[in-house]
Amino acid sequence: MGWFNNMFNRTKKRLDYDVEKIVHASIRQSMLPKYRQRETQERWKQQFYLYDGIISRGEFRSKNIIDNLKLIRDINPDAAMSVWNFLRLSNSGHELEVYTPNGTLNKAATDDLNKLAARVGKLYGGGTDQLINVLLLTAFTQGAICLEVELNDALNDVVDFHAVDPSTVDFRTDKETGELQLVQKQSDGQYKILNQEQVFYFGYDSDISDPYGRSPILPVLQIVFFQIQVLKDLQKVVHHQGHKRFDIKVVEAAIIENMPDEIKHQGPDVVRDYVSSYISDVQAQMSELEPDDDFFHTDSIEIDLAGGAMQSSIDVTRVMDVINQQIVTALKQLPILLGRNEGTTETHGSIQWQIYVKGIESIQRGIKRILERAYNVALQVKGVQGSAKLTFDEIQTSDRQKEATAEKTETETKIMQINQGWIDNDEAANYMVGHDAVSEPIKNTIPAMSESNNGETEDDETTNDRFAKVTPLKKKYLIRANDDEDEYVAGIKEDWASDVAKITSNATQSFFDLLQDQVKEYIDRLKKAPNIPARVYVDVKSFRQFMRDETPEPTPQFIHWVRKNLLSDSEKQTEFIKEELQIWIKETVELTGSMSLIELGLDVEFNSQDQKLLRYLQERSLRSAQLIQGVSDESVIMNLWDVVYEGHYSIEKAAESLMDEFAFSKNRSRVIARTEIISAGRTGQYFADDQSGMVIGKKWMAAMQEGRTRPGHLKASGQVVKFDEPFKVENKNGEIELLLYPGDTSYSPSPSNTIQCRCWYKRILEGEKLE
């Protein structure tokens, strides 16, 4: 029995194992087809079970609705104004470039593509600008855009780009392959399949199972039709209640008295006919009267005036206000852009403007994608290896001038405290920028202001001539021309510190050259400027009588004179500064990004054309350029005001004062270079870590400079966050600010948190704990 039981148990165990294996394999095999298929279906497929059917357009995307929208868009004053505003803001300029697969600019291909851009869209006058306007208008009206690239017969060049009416294009899925196709209905009722390598469709805010997009102004139909009906009803009310009208009374007694006897004796029917004829004659005569006609009547008719007092049971004005508000909302506009002076705070107005600009940028992204695809076709048929990049000019959304002014006021307070002997230069510097002063002030009026604003990042402007002469390639050569290392940057504990220190040293000299060019240009304009208005001197004399111990703020007349005669091209100079910044920042980011990937042991190339990175660099360089130019402008104004207020103003004295101004000094250029290049180094490291996919967290590490590390950065040291989350760091006022990494400006931190910051972060890799 023992032997039998053992054999039975062994057989049972083997049988259980075999059955389990077979069952498992069978289930797995039966489940595999389901993994390979899509189990859900679009609603339109479920309904018709047709894989080659046209995807139906929603009722509100029909041609009739679109035609009504076009009509309202063109004839309704509010809709027409909203279109005008949208087009002017959305199409203020753009840049077209071609990049090679390794991310470098292809200058020759860029030039060729810009020549093509100048001739496409022939139907609209030629040029991409005109074509973009058409696409923007279509997107605003229909919620979709469509573009076709026409090639020549040899398929080696582009003939033109054609904007296609999106309402004429439909979608369907191929019966055999299940692929989504673009089709267009022909005159014979058949559908023509469009080549999606040449015809591109982009729908905005598409719904589930609906690739056609949604018009952003569709709600305006309802409110405009309601507005028209209200106006018609109001017209009737005004007509009936707003004007006096004739009150005509037929006097029956007079008619009977004057009626001929022969009529009376012929019976009731004849009398009725006589009276009816008489009244008809009166009505005919009154209806034929012109506004300026005189009239006469018999004593059987009395004429008076009635009505004229406008009385209504509702407040028409309030009804129209509600309608106007609905129209503004339906058109996705700000009230002020349609002439509605609705009260709002400055803060709320700023937020509303930013939201409106984001809406514009969302539409622009669709235009950008569809045009880049079209230009990529042009590159492909010419055999060019690369990709097109179209960038719209940024729309201003913040007032950096106000920020610079506020920073200036705070700085001047510290200057006054230094002058009074209350604090020393290092104490003021630590309060403003978080570390000791880098040198003694050259002058005690503006230096701290310039340095602190400087610290916000950035460098300065230059003249047009300088930028015309110095090409990007030459500048990249200059970056490597000097082996001197900036000692401050060289002390950073990173493998790339030495190379970045060399870049900083060269950048310092370059920024100083730009600052010197700038101040020389200002002095040259000063010599050609008209005399300072006499009113300014009168105000100065009055100030001296009442404010003996302090210098007042410049008068509006003086500020206007300086801006008009010396600072008239600030916006253009800001663009020059932005270009200069981009060159140095990009060089540093590529260097530190590549070295960071090597440090992680990855044999991959750093993607310097990453869209998030490019967007960040664009935004940072613009913010920095605006701030730098704003600070330079303020420095010129305050410096010259000091000269005027001190008395004995002359051009020579003013010019000498400007040349000695800290805003144009080597020390300022050094602070600018250190701040920008160190931050760019951290930026390259951060985006390289992001591209690696290995970094899951980060830990803030203070630089631990004895007596110089900012209190907020000391508190932040050791703080651990997820990689894509920002650190929370206190500024000099104890307020919490967000930074993705030391030196980051994406959350617009104050200058005290970014100027010359040498802090760093420690990577936390996959498999490690976020502790």
Side-chain angles (χ1 to χ4, degrees), residues 585-619:
I585 293 174
K586 186 173 184 292
E587 179 79 8
T588 307
V589 167
E590 291 177 352
L591 171 67
T592 59
S594 299
M595 295 187 70
S596 295
L597 289 175
I598 293 174
E599 183 181 350
L600 287 170
L602 299 176
D603 187 18
V604 294
E605 185 176 355
F606 176 66
N607 181 12
S608 60
Q609 296 304 306
D610 177 79
Q611 289 300 310
K612 290 191 298 183
L613 171 60
L614 293 177
R615 184 164 55 251
Y616 175 85
L617 297 181
Q618 178 78 7
E619 292 173 353

Side-chain angles (χ1 to χ4, degrees), residues 259-274:
M259 184 184 298
D261 291 338
E262 63 270 18
I263 297 297
K264 297 177 182 178
H265 295 155
Q266 292 184 36
D269 292 337
V270 176
V271 170
R272 277 194 293 271
D273 292 341
Y274 174 82

Side-chain angles (χ1 to χ4, degrees), residues 201-407:
Y201 184 100
F202 185 91
Y204 292 91
D205 300 330
S206 299
D207 203 350
I208 296 175
S209 304
D210 184 355
Y212 291 107
R214 300 163 61 231
S215 170
I217 62 170
L218 183 63
V220 81
L221 285 175
Q222 179 189 25
I223 192 61
V224 167
F225 291 151
F226 179 68
Q227 181 190 48
I228 293 172
Q229 186 60 49
V230 169
L231 291 175
K232 286 181 178 179
D233 293 343
L234 186 60
Q235 181 185 35
K236 295 176 181 178
V237 172
V238 171
H239 178 74
H240 287 289
Q241 297 186 10
H243 302 281
K244 289 182 177 294
R245 304 181 308 284
F246 288 123
D247 182 12
I248 301 173
K249 180 170 64 177
V250 179
V251 184
E252 296 179 3
I255 293 177
I256 295 172
E257 183 179 346
N258 296 322
M259 184 184 298
D261 291 338
E262 63 270 18
I263 297 297
K264 297 177 182 178
H265 295 155
Q266 292 184 36
D269 292 337
V270 176
V271 170
R272 277 194 293 271
D273 292 341
Y274 174 82
V275 173
S276 297
S277 176
Y278 183 84
I279 293 175
S280 297
D281 289 343
V282 171
Q283 291 175 336
Q285 292 177 30
M286 295 303 297
S287 64
E288 293 173 0
L289 281 177
E290 296 295 333
D292 58 348
D293 283 350
D294 296 323
F295 59 88
F296 63 91
H297 58 88
T298 65
D299 59 0
S300 61
I301 299 173
E302 292 182 5
I303 299 178
D304 200 352
L305 292 175
M310 182 69 174
Q311 297 182 1
S312 174
S313 59
I314 62 173
D315 187 342
V316 177
T317 303
R318 295 187 64 180
V319 173
M320 294 308 298
D321 286 343
V322 172
I323 292 174
N324 288 335
Q325 186 180 39
Q326 291 286 306
I327 286 179
V328 171
T329 304
L331 292 173
K332 310 296 188 292
Q333 288 284 297
L334 298 180
I336 191 64
L337 295 180
L338 293 181
R340 311 278 198 268
N341 297 321
E342 298 180 4
T344 185
T345 65
E346 183 176 352
T347 300
H348 288 169
S350 176
I351 293 173
Q352 289 174 6
W353 172 249
Q354 292 177 27
I355 293 173
Y356 180 67
V357 169
K358 289 298 181 183
I360 291 177
E361 291 174 347
S362 176
I363 300 293
Q364 286 178 333
R365 280 194 291 273
I367 308 292
K368 166 186 169 67
R369 292 173 185 173
I370 208 168
L371 282 174
E372 285 179 347
R373 293 179 67 184
Y375 284 122
N376 284 336
V377 172
L379 294 174
Q380 291 169 9
V381 298
K382 287 181 173 293
V384 177
Q385 295 294 318
S387 59
K389 180 176 182 293
L390 186 144
T391 307
F392 282 97
D393 292 348
E394 187 168 349
I395 303 173
Q396 181 69 37
T397 58
S398 61
D399 191 346
R400 290 293 176 182
Q401 187 66 37
K402 288 185 178 180
E403 296 176 9
T405 302
E407 191 76 19

Side-chain angles (χ1 to χ4, degrees), residues 345-566:
T345 65
E346 183 176 352
T347 300
H348 288 169
S350 176
I351 293 173
Q352 289 174 6
W353 172 249
Q354 292 177 27
I355 293 173
Y356 180 67
V357 169
K358 289 298 181 183
I360 291 177
E361 291 174 347
S362 176
I363 300 293
Q364 286 178 333
R365 280 194 291 273
I367 308 292
K368 166 186 169 67
R369 292 173 185 173
I370 208 168
L371 282 174
E372 285 179 347
R373 293 179 67 184
Y375 284 122
N376 284 336
V377 172
L379 294 174
Q380 291 169 9
V381 298
K382 287 181 173 293
V384 177
Q385 295 294 318
S387 59
K389 180 176 182 293
L390 186 144
T391 307
F392 282 97
D393 292 348
E394 187 168 349
I395 303 173
Q396 181 69 37
T397 58
S398 61
D399 191 346
R400 290 293 176 182
Q401 187 66 37
K402 288 185 178 180
E403 296 176 9
T405 302
E407 191 76 19
K408 163 187 159 298
T409 302
E410 189 174 31
T411 305
E412 287 181 339
T413 301
K414 290 300 170 187
I415 294 173
M416 182 270 292
Q417 292 174 347
I418 293 174
N419 293 338
Q420 293 294 324
W422 297 345
I423 61 176
D424 61 26
N425 198 33
D426 283 341
E427 288 178 284
N430 273 284
Y431 180 85
M432 295 304 302
V433 297
H435 58 76
D436 290 346
V438 296
S439 66
E440 289 301 315
I442 298 175
K443 187 176 180 180
N444 279 339
T445 51
I446 310 295
M449 177 196 73
S450 300
E451 181 181 21
S452 92
N453 281 298
N454 247 347
E456 278 210 353
T457 64
E458 284 48 305
D459 77 304
D460 245 56
E461 67 163 59
T462 83
T463 60
N464 302 10
D465 291 340
R466 176 177 177 82
F467 273 100
K469 294 175 182 177
V470 184
T471 65
L473 288 177
K474 184 177 179 182
K475 288 180 180 178
K476 296 192 80 169
Y477 170 77
L478 289 174
I479 290 174
R480 301 175 177 84
N482 191 344
D483 290 333
D484 293 340
E485 294 185 5
D486 184 287
E487 295 180 0
Y488 188 83
V489 179
I492 297 176
K493 298 179 180 179
E494 296 285 0
D495 292 341
W496 42 257
S498 177
D499 293 315
V500 171
K502 293 176 183 178
I503 294 177
T504 305
S505 179
N506 285 280
T508 298
Q509 184 60 47
S510 178
F511 290 151
F512 180 60
D513 291 342
L514 296 179
L515 295 177
Q516 289 296 296
D517 286 344
Q518 184 180 35
V519 71
K520 289 174 184 177
E521 178 69 18
Y522 288 152
I523 291 173
D524 184 57
R525 295 175 187 174
L526 183 65
K527 294 176 181 178
K528 301 175 183 178
N531 293 330
I532 296 175
R535 175 65 187 176
V536 173
Y537 292 107
V538 174
D539 291 336
V540 167
K541 184 177 180 181
S542 177
F543 284 146
R544 288 203 192 107
Q545 293 176 354
F546 300 100
M547 305 176 68
R548 299 180 183 276
D549 298 330
E550 58 180 308
T551 302
E553 289 293 313
T555 64
Q557 292 86 353
F558 179 77
I559 294 175
H560 175 74
W561 181 84
V562 176
R563 290 195 180 280
K564 179 179 179 181
N565 296 290
L566 273 67

Side-chain angles (χ1 to χ4, degrees), residues 698-739:
K698 56 199 175 186
K699 181 178 182 179
W700 185 287
M701 307 295 290
M704 297 302 178
Q705 307 165 70
E706 185 175 354
R708 301 179 66 179
T709 300
R710 295 157 234 220
H713 292 194
L714 279 175
K715 289 183 180 180
S717 191
Q719 184 182 149
V720 175
V721 296
K722 293 181 180 179
F723 181 73
D724 58 353
E725 293 180 355
F727 292 105
K728 297 178 180 179
V729 185
E730 286 186 10
N731 62 17
K732 63 185 179 185
N733 298 322
E735 300 166 338
I736 297 297
E737 296 182 330
L738 304 180
L739 291 89

Side-chain angles (χ1 to χ4, degrees), residues 554-701:
T555 64
Q557 292 86 353
F558 179 77
I559 294 175
H560 175 74
W561 181 84
V562 176
R563 290 195 180 280
K564 179 179 179 181
N565 296 290
L566 273 67
L567 310 174
S568 57
D569 61 344
S570 288
E571 291 186 4
K572 181 179 290 187
Q573 297 300 334
T574 299
E575 285 298 313
F576 294 148
I577 296 170
K578 185 180 77 169
E579 294 174 12
E580 182 75 3
L581 283 170
Q582 287 175 333
I583 293 170
W584 293 100
I585 293 174
K586 186 173 184 292
E587 179 79 8
T588 307
V589 167
E590 291 177 352
L591 171 67
T592 59
S594 299
M595 295 187 70
S596 295
L597 289 175
I598 293 174
E599 183 181 350
L600 287 170
L602 299 176
D603 187 18
V604 294
E605 185 176 355
F606 176 66
N607 181 12
S608 60
Q609 296 304 306
D610 177 79
Q611 289 300 310
K612 290 191 298 183
L613 171 60
L614 293 177
R615 184 164 55 251
Y616 175 85
L617 297 181
Q618 178 78 7
E619 292 173 353
R620 166 145 192 162
S621 59
L622 178 61
R623 284 196 303 264
S624 299
Q626 290 172 335
L627 179 61
I628 295 264
Q629 184 60 38
V631 171
S632 296
D633 290 353
E634 286 295 316
S635 298
V636 172
I637 292 171
M638 295 304 299
N639 184 278
L640 295 180
W641 174 250
D642 286 341
V643 175
V644 171
Y645 195 77
E646 290 170 2
H648 309 294
Y649 170 83
S650 67
I651 293 178
E652 291 74 17
K653 187 175 181 180
E656 181 181 355
S657 180
L658 283 177
M659 286 299 296
D660 292 338
E661 172 57 46
F662 178 86
F664 308 108
S665 69
K666 187 68 171 284
N667 284 335
R668 186 192 183 202
S669 66
R670 184 176 293 110
V671 173
I672 292 171
R674 287 173 176 175
T675 300
E676 289 304 314
I677 301 304
I678 293 174
S679 177
R682 296 295 181 205
T683 300
Q685 176 186 340
Y686 176 82
F687 279 92
D689 290 346
D690 183 42
Q691 292 175 20
S692 73
M694 297 172 56
V695 184
I696 63 170
K698 56 199 175 186
K699 181 178 182 179
W700 185 287
M701 307 295 290

